[in-house]
Amino acid sequence: MRDIVGEVQPTPFAPASLGPLRLRNRLIKCATFEGATPDALVTPELIEFHREVAAGGVAMNTVAYCAISPEGRTDRHQIWMRPEAVPGLIDLTDAIHAEGALAAAQLGHAGPVANSVSNQARAHAPSRIPAPMGMALCKRLNTDDIADSLLKYRRAARLAVDSGFDGLELHFGHNYLASCFLSPLLNRRRDEYGGSLVNRARFCREISEAARDEVGDDIAIWAKLSMYDGFPGSFGIDEACEVGRMFEADGYLDAIEPTAGSSLLNPMYLFHGDVPRKEFSDAFRGVMRWGIKAVAPVFLKKYDYEPAYLLPLSRQLREAVSMPLILLGGITDRASMDLALAEGFDFVAMGRALLREPDLPLRIEADPTTVSKCVHCNLCMPTIYSHTRCPIRTGEVSEAEAVG
């Protein structure tokens, strides 16, 4: 347990260290898919998106989605880490660095969340569970497949560093592949990767070890770790705290970014606020559109928005470990930033609010009373299938329409 008694509370806009890195402040742009890589390669649009956010005052931009392999994408229009991607990624990290920020790559494998039809490759999972986007069963990974996945994580980490990234975020959340291994509901294995929590956590720990062994100690590495999948019988906060203690004992990670919800079964547990069900279904075609429309009332549940809404869960992880934590979820103003730091979190991560106002950090630093213009309508979420944006900012809808 971390002891912060007697410590002077840090301020969000003072420089801070994350592992070997020195950041200009404690604000991180969290990983989001920008829908700006139609050929699975960096585009000028993606570079400009991240350049604008970096110029807006965050200390670190996290670039997603950087899949370790082609079948590990939620859609074929996502970057997967290969030599052909490196030149564009170098241009991207150069643009972020030119604005005074650092750059991190989110590395992961979508597992059962992958679209096997789009990717033209079978989705992967620890067990033979459904992959809804491809309307098929996943391939159950055997131990040789797992060893091969670890090599792909290692290769992806090396390519990211060669592309100029300063940090790596390992995606262990949202019931993507690594997160599925953690889940007692989705992982039905009876070998060394299933059953007990130690076994279910083995894959995540081996990924962390492989990444650290590949890139050394000059690169920051942290994990995005689910605290609760959002449905009964799956991974929850008590086991998340135990896994956090395992990560801390292993010593391969510099921090943890707690998250929640399942892209497979309950995505809105992460994205509190309004639920744009019609816009979600309209983002798909054919049978998928009707399928999403049919299951939307159950699949897309509503959770009321409040500032720092993941704090109650994240606080339990904060009490369980001493290593640095990055608070995500509802960080949109100076008050939520100060609250996070007062509770012992080392950094805060911002997402949707930066779509509406990329320069929000600079504005908050200049005037602590600044109020974010994000209305938590979540109309930005369905745009990931075309080009991620805030429809209010672009004038596609009025604010009155968004909150109506």
Side-chain angles (χ1 to χ4, degrees):
M1 181 182 296
R2 188 176 191 178
D3 182 8
I4 59 173
V5 176
E7 292 184 10
V8 177
Q9 180 180 326
T11 59
F13 293 99
S17 295
L18 175 56
L21 305 179
R22 190 66 174 169
L23 280 63
R24 63 184 176 187
N25 59 48
R26 295 176 182 269
L27 278 57
I28 296 173
K29 182 229 174 287
C30 68
T32 55
F33 175 50
E34 273 69 62
T37 53
D39 297 315
L41 296 169
V42 172
T43 60
E45 291 77 16
L46 184 67
I47 292 174
E48 176 55 23
F49 176 93
H50 281 279
R51 186 210 62 77
E52 187 178 32
V53 172
V58 297
M60 174 93 75
N61 280 38
T62 311
V63 178
Y65 184 68
C66 300
I68 64 164
S69 55
E71 85 288 340
R73 299 171 290 174
T74 63
D75 181 87
R76 71 180 184 276
H77 302 118
Q78 291 178 326
I79 295 171
W80 66 279
M81 300 300 285
R82 61 204 192 280
E84 292 84 355
V86 170
L89 290 170
I90 290 174
D91 291 341
L92 174 57
T93 57
D94 283 348
I96 294 171
H97 292 151
E99 297 295 347
L102 300 181
Q106 184 193 69
L107 303 180
H109 188 295
V113 184
N115 188 329
S116 57
V117 175
S118 176
N119 293 335
Q120 296 186 330
R122 196 172 175 188
H124 292 178
S127 304
R128 283 177 58 82
I129 60 175
M133 292 294 288
M135 293 182 288
L137 289 176
C138 293
K139 173 186 177 181
R140 178 192 182 276
L141 299 185
N142 60 36
T143 53
D144 288 340
D145 295 326
I146 291 172
D148 183 61
S149 294
L150 292 172
L151 289 176
K152 290 175 179 176
Y153 271 100
R154 182 184 289 269
R155 180 188 64 188
R158 172 49 53 196
L159 289 171
V161 172
D162 291 346
S163 299
F165 285 100
D166 309 283
L168 304 176
E169 178 181 282
L170 305 177
H171 200 331
F172 298 161
H174 307 162
N175 286 152
Y176 282 23
L177 182 61
S179 174
C180 276
F181 271 85
L182 291 172
S183 168
L185 182 66
L186 302 176
N187 180 350
R188 304 164 188 169
R189 304 174 71 97
R190 297 179 181 276
D191 62 2
E192 64 268 36
Y193 289 95
S196 69
L197 180 60
V198 169
N199 284 355
R200 286 184 277 121
R202 189 183 308 278
F203 186 45
C204 291
R205 298 170 76 181
E206 290 178 343
I207 292 169
S208 304
E209 180 180 16
R212 177 60 72 192
D213 181 65
E214 181 64 34
V215 305
D217 295 330
D218 294 332
I219 301 296
I221 304 178
W222 65 94
K224 176 171 273 189
L225 175 67
S226 280
M227 299 172 292
Y228 175 51
D229 288 341
F231 51 94
S234 194
F235 194 65
I237 184 60
D238 291 341
E239 289 194 327
C241 289
E242 287 298 322
V243 172
R245 294 187 187 101
M246 294 178 196
F247 288 160
E248 187 164 50
D250 291 341
Y252 302 125
L253 301 177
D254 296 302
I256 297 174
E257 182 177 310
T259 187
S262 166
S263 296
L264 193 64
L265 293 170
N266 191 358
M268 294 305 299
Y269 198 87
L270 171 61
F271 300 103
H272 287 208
D274 294 338
V275 186
R277 293 179 179 134
K278 179 181 183 300
E279 289 78 6
F280 260 115
S281 62
D282 288 349
F284 293 87
R285 296 180 180 178
V287 67
M288 280 299 298
R289 173 176 292 186
W290 293 106
I292 293 292
K293 187 173 294 187
V295 303
V298 175
F299 178 63
L300 299 173
K301 301 176 183 179
K302 189 178 190 305
Y303 297 93
D304 292 335
Y305 177 88
E306 61 183 26
Y309 56 82
L310 288 184
L311 179 58
L313 276 176
S314 301
R315 183 184 290 124
Q316 297 181 61
L317 183 61
R318 176 69 291 166
E319 294 172 352
V321 301
S322 298
M323 65 189 298
L325 297 184
I326 304 165
L327 185 65
L328 170 71
I331 307 297
T332 63
D333 58 13
R334 180 62 187 263
S336 56
M337 295 174 187
D338 287 338
L339 174 62
L341 299 181
E343 294 253 1
F345 292 85
D346 301 83
F347 297 89
V348 295
M350 305 177 70
R352 288 168 290 175
L354 297 178
L355 286 176
R356 181 75 188 268
E357 301 171 280
D359 65 343
L360 182 60
L362 286 180
R363 294 176 53 246
I364 293 175
E365 183 177 19
D367 179 5
T369 66
T370 296
V371 177
S372 168
K373 294 180 181 178
C374 180
V375 295
H376 325 295
C377 64
N378 288 320
L379 288 173
C380 56
M381 293 177 60
T383 70
I384 66 171
Y385 302 104
S386 51
H387 196 307
T388 307
R389 60 199 181 277
C390 170
I392 301 176
R393 184 187 181 200
T394 60
E396 296 166 75
V397 299
S398 68
E399 185 167 318
E401 291 173 319
V403 299

